[in-house]
Amino acid sequence: MKIQQEQVSTVNKSELSAHNDSFDFLANKLTKNGYNVDNIVSKLGEFQVAIPSWALGAGGTRFGRFSFFGEPSNLEQKIEDVGLIHSLTQTAGAVSLHIPWDVPSDYKAIKEVATSLDVKFDSVNSNTFQNQKDSKESYKFGSLSNTSEAVRQQAIQHNLDVINIGNQLDSKSLTVWLADGSCFPGQNNFQTAFQNAQNSLKDIYKGLPDDWKMLIEYKPYEPNFYSTVIQDWGTSFMLANECGEKAYTLVDLGHHLPNSNIEQIVSVLMLKGKLGGFHFNDSKYGDDDLTAGCIKPYALFLIFNELVYGMQNNPQNPDLAWMIDASHNVKDPLEDLIQSLEAIQEAYAKAMLVDQDLLKAAQMDNDVVKCQEILQDAYRTDVRPLLEKARLNRGGALNPIKAYRSLDLRNHLITERGKHTIATGL
Ligand code: LRH
Ligand code: MN
């Protein structure tokens, strides 16, 4: 299913004058304050966030899963759904595949579908947290850190296979997240587990093409509930440094213990040139994988404030991989992803309104109140007209959720796919 440009223009008609009024008002105000509005709008347009291929169907928990009907039942339909989101938002021009949930059966065909929808293949994710039906060794007690050489070798080979798959899709990075850890004190020798993981990552790193990155994702707990081998940013940072210059840390916002200062982690990783990318989502308790910005929007803004500062002051840090990692238990997956994209773009736009030089001067003067006023003035600015303009300039919808509903896309998908298709993934 593909949305035609005319359909979007038709839906936009009723929103256009309201948009023009609010945009002109905001643009005048910002221009008077010395902002380059065109520059901000074009940066928002260039900002592309990858959609997780494993989050295009209904998510679930051990307590239950409630389908959404019309879910994509193969990779081509998943790419089409990313295309739908991208047609409306113009900021979802990439998909991040998870292997083996999304192994292409025809590389040429799937690349043609993606290209026709202006969707690129971002990072490819390996999966050594589930046993595959044909796998010889079990990952029950870990993968790259397992005490068994045979299990580690199987996991290393899987990652090399994932690189090979990504290479054929012009992807440029491998994301490694390990569930490895222990559920009880005494179960693991922490040093052996760490050493095994480090050596295994180094073996995978040797198979990384020159222009690729390895993104090492950390997580404090789940599915192991006493220790996790790659538990925090420091551990990922150490492992990335041990591997080499193509290895970086990936920050999943849900992978932090309560009240962690994620913006400080982001800032220091950028200073060290080791921040590789993000899995955007939000959470109130654990790795809840909720809509980005739905619980802690100010924290998301503060993270983007550090990112904007870093992008201006840390040339040693490479371009970042922007990706969502969410799971949808009660919302239409496509609507949830559209809402996440809106919250992420909004945080970025607000952060671009922070006068970093003015803030730095106030920080040097320890003028605490002025520092907060500078931040909150930007945060309290309604930047939605800028997001609308960025979408409009690229043929997107002024209000993607309204467009999704008035074009009745979910029912079209159900008509096309039926009610009983199940998407692979979480
Ligand atoms: C682990 C994680 C990781 C993915 C998985 C789908 O919690 O965040 O990024 O592999 O979710
Ligand atoms: Mn993640």
Side-chain angles (χ1 to χ4, degrees):
M1 179 182 183
K2 190 170 178 178
I3 300 175
Q4 302 311 318
Q5 182 54 55
E6 307 69 60
Q7 292 177 282
V8 178
S9 310
T10 308
V11 171
N12 281 343
K13 276 205 179 61
S14 59
E15 315 265 336
L16 214 45
S17 69
H19 161 70
N20 290 336
D21 295 350
S22 57
F23 178 78
D24 294 348
F25 172 79
L26 178 60
N28 290 339
K29 179 169 167 265
L30 293 176
T31 306
K32 279 201 194 78
N33 295 337
Y35 290 97
N36 178 337
V37 173
D38 290 347
N39 181 28
I40 294 172
V41 170
S42 68
K43 278 210 170 88
L44 287 172
E46 288 146 20
F47 182 71
Q48 298 296 318
V49 179
I51 302 295
S53 63
W54 59 91
L56 291 161
T61 71
R62 57 188 165 164
F63 303 106
R65 181 183 184 282
F66 306 94
S67 178
F68 262 93
F69 310 139
E71 295 187 19
S73 56
N74 57 46
L75 184 53
E76 182 168 346
Q77 289 182 347
K78 287 189 175 191
I79 306 285
E80 284 174 8
D81 285 5
V82 175
L84 290 181
I85 296 172
H86 191 43
S87 296
L88 299 178
T89 65
Q90 293 298 320
T91 191
V95 63
S96 179
L97 299 188
H98 218 297
I99 307 296
W101 293 334
D102 304 301
V103 179
S105 50
D106 178 335
Y107 285 89
K108 185 169 173 301
I110 205 69
K111 285 169 83 174
E112 279 163 8
V113 171
T115 305
S116 72
L117 296 166
D118 184 23
V119 171
K120 293 182 180 53
F121 290 95
D122 202 312
S123 194
V124 281
N125 297 262
S126 59
N127 177 341
T128 58
F129 50 86
Q130 293 171 328
N131 288 344
Q132 306 310 321
K133 58 186 176 324
D134 53 6
S135 55
K136 189 165 167 304
E137 309 292 341
S138 171
Y139 295 136
K140 180 175 181 179
F141 295 111
S143 60
L144 298 180
S145 72
N146 197 295
T147 54
S148 151
E149 167 74 21
V151 174
R152 297 198 301 274
Q153 280 312 319
Q154 176 181 287
I156 292 166
Q157 187 52 52
H158 166 68
N159 279 275
L160 297 174
D161 297 344
V162 172
I163 292 171
N164 179 32
I165 290 169
N167 225 358
Q168 297 175 70
L169 297 169
D170 305 326
S171 168
K172 292 297 180 198
S173 69
L174 167 72
T175 295
V176 180
W177 167 67
L178 300 185
D180 295 29
S182 64
C183 280
F184 300 94
Q187 176 186 340
N188 267 11
N189 177 291
F190 297 135
Q191 296 188 6
T192 304
F194 180 91
Q195 201 69 48
N196 286 344
Q198 181 174 274
N199 295 338
S200 299
L201 286 168
K202 282 181 167 180
D203 287 348
I204 297 168
Y205 187 87
K206 291 184 192 116
L208 209 63
D210 292 347
D211 60 351
W212 271 53
K213 295 189 183 85
M214 175 195 276
L215 307 178
I216 302 173
E217 184 176 2
Y218 58 89
K219 184 176 182 178
Y221 71 94
E222 189 205 37
N224 279 294
F225 294 103
Y226 170 64
S227 74
T228 296
V229 176
I230 309 181
Q231 62 167 321
D232 61 10
W233 74 277
T235 307
S236 167
F237 178 69
M238 274 192 287
L239 291 165
N241 280 313
E242 280 291 330
C243 285
E245 64 188 15
K246 294 184 288 183
Y248 299 87
T249 292
L250 184 136
V251 176
D252 183 314
L253 301 189
H255 293 184
H256 299 86
L257 297 176
N259 306 322
S260 297
N261 187 325
I262 303 175
E263 56 269 26
Q264 184 181 10
I265 294 170
V266 165
S267 172
V268 172
L269 284 170
M270 287 199 91
L271 178 63
K272 294 298 180 182
K274 276 297 184 188
L275 179 64
F278 284 89
H279 276 178
F280 291 114
N281 49 54
D282 208 340
S283 50
K284 186 158 183 60
Y285 303 105
D287 186 19
D288 309 341
D289 280 342
L290 300 176
T291 321
C294 71
I295 305 286
K296 308 184 288 287
Y298 192 58
L300 185 61
F301 160 74
L302 293 175
I303 288 168
F304 269 91
N305 178 53
E306 295 304 331
L307 287 167
V308 169
Y309 179 85
M311 289 190 270
Q312 288 173 4
N313 296 281
N314 306 134
Q316 67 273 30
N317 202 88
D319 292 347
L320 296 163
W322 311 107
M323 300 177 278
I324 290 174
D325 183 359
S327 178
H328 325 285
N329 299 344
V330 292
K331 286 200 263 182
D332 178 321
L334 302 190
E335 291 191 327
D336 197 2
L337 290 162
I338 288 171
Q339 289 184 311
S340 278
L341 291 164
E342 179 85 3
I344 295 163
Q345 267 202 323
E346 189 179 12
Y348 183 28
K350 287 174 186 268
M352 284 193 276
L353 297 184
V354 174
D355 183 326
Q356 295 293 338
D357 300 337
L358 198 66
L359 177 62
K360 191 69 178 295
Q363 289 164 338
M364 296 306 284
D365 296 347
N366 296 310
D367 185 340
V368 182
V369 170
K370 186 170 181 185
C371 292
Q372 197 170 8
E373 287 301 306
I374 292 168
L375 275 186
Q376 294 192 341
D377 183 39
Y379 181 71
R380 290 168 176 156
T381 304
D382 181 356
V383 294
R384 291 175 293 178
L386 301 175
L387 278 61
E388 292 167 357
K389 176 63 85 176
R391 289 192 287 266
L392 199 59
N393 289 353
R394 289 169 168 249
L398 284 169
N399 184 324
I401 290 287
K402 252 193 193 149
Y404 178 85
R405 292 190 170 194
S406 57
L407 292 169
D408 199 20
L409 295 179
R410 176 53 58 189
N411 285 326
H412 281 296
L413 291 171
I414 293 171
T415 309
E416 197 180 290
R417 297 168 182 174
K419 279 194 168 188
H420 306 295
T421 47
I422 299 287
T424 55
L426 279 184

